Amino acid sequence: EVQLAESGGGLVPAGGSLRLSCAASGFTFDDHAIGWFRQAPGKEREAVSCIGTDGRVYYGDSVRGRVTTAADNAKNTMYLQLINLQPDETATYYCGADRTMAFCYYGMEYWGKGILVTVSQ
């Protein structure tokens, strides 16, 4: 069964950093576009990062300069590092993957269930 599972969420102080992991089972990341999205209550889903099938990396405008993402193919796991978090970045963070697309979009084929990240003042 294809499954994505996020981990590493929780409570983060304002100005703190976050490291999320997304572990894949039932498939490997090879030939998949993989990325992170987030959605705050009452707001639209926002793209955070993406690693395309060619290895090209994209970062969203709101996080560029504070974010890095990487994939560990041996562990079949994708990571997101985000620093200097602010309270308005409180959201549910999702990882997604798609074998039919070369890059990320909002209708990814596979999604994790999401993980809550709360940034406190």
Side-chain angles (χ1 to χ4, degrees), residues 11-70:
L11 182 64
V12 180
S17 62
L18 174 71
R19 187 173 189 264
L20 298 178
S21 300
C22 174
S25 61
F27 73 107
T28 66
F29 282 142
D30 288 356
D31 298 321
H32 285 72
I34 50 176
W36 290 94
F37 294 77
R38 64 186 180 186
Q39 188 167 19
K43 299 187 68 176
E44 298 291 329
R45 190 189 309 166
E46 177 187 20
V48 178
S49 67
C50 183
I51 305 173
T53 56
D54 62 355
R56 182 164 55 95
V57 177
Y58 163 85
Y59 296 124
D61 290 342
S62 65
V63 295
R64 190 172 294 116
R66 300 185 293 119
V67 64
T68 56
T69 190

